[in-house]
């Protein structure tokens, strides 16, 4: 049995662990600060965080959500955006990812969104398959560039 609910202040450790697994390039201190900013109301994003727990109440997944004024392939200016989506490896292909997306879609509807967007690294085939499996459609592949001046 999977349960999905919004993150609460007491979930900081669980959220931190999941976040570090999703974005290992960030330091623990950086992630902890962003989590603190979220609960203090000083964070620009995410706007919502959903956590998934298994029947033993162990954290098995997260979805970080925001609302963007534009997103690739979208037509509206109020788009729910999946900023981060992670399921622990041992819980993949068990419905956790789908449960998180279903809860995220409900959050988006409640917040007046009619479109839901996301992105994934172009080389991340597992993420692409997971997105397609829960109903996203691929709308493009973007390469980003920068130049330090």
């Amino acid at each position: 049995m999977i349960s999905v609910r919004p993150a609460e202040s007491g979930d900081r450790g669980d959220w931190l662990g999941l976040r570090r697994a999703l974005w290992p390039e960030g330091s623990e201190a950086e992630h902890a600060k962003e989590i603190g900013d979220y609960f203090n109301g000083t964070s620009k994003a995410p706007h919502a965080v959903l956590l998934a727990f298994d029947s033993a109440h162990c954290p098995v997944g997260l979805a970080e959500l925001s609302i963007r004024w534009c997103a690739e392939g979208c037509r509206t200016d109020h788009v729910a955006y999946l900023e981060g989506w992670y399921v622990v490896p041992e819980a993949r292909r068990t419905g956790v990812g789908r449960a998180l997306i279903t809860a995220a879609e409900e959050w988006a509807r409640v917040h007046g969104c009619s479109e839901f967007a996301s992105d994934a690294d172009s080389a991340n085939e597992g993420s692409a398959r997971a997105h397609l499996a829960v109903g996203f459609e691929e709308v493009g592949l973007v390469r980003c560039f920068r130049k330090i001046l």
Side-chain angles (χ1 to χ4, degrees), residues 2-17:
I2 310 290
S3 64
V4 176
R5 63 169 173 75
E8 300 169 353
S9 185
D11 297 323
R12 289 172 192 249
D14 293 337
W15 183 11
L16 178 62

Side-chain angles (χ1 to χ4, degrees), residues 36 42 71 82 95 98-99 129-130 141 149:
T42 58
L82 185 60
R98 185 174 300 279
R129 283 192 303 276
L141 186 61
L149 300 176

Side-chain angles (χ1 to χ4, degrees), residues 54-122:
D54 65 14
S55 58
H57 198 67
C58 294
V60 292
L62 78 84
E64 293 191 11
L65 308 167
S66 70
I67 297 177
R68 294 188 178 185
W69 65 271
C70 70
E72 189 70 32
C74 293
R75 295 182 177 100
T76 63
D77 64 359
H78 192 73
V79 180
Y81 205 87
L82 185 60
E83 299 289 349
W85 183 30
Y86 181 76
V87 175
V88 297
E90 57 273 14
R92 292 179 184 162
R93 304 186 62 82
T94 66
V96 173
R98 185 174 300 279
L100 283 161
I101 295 302
T102 298
E105 290 169 348
E106 181 57 28
W107 175 87
R109 284 185 197 94
V110 165
H111 287 85
C113 299
S114 61
E115 294 180 288
F116 189 23
S118 183
D119 62 59
D121 184 273
S122 61

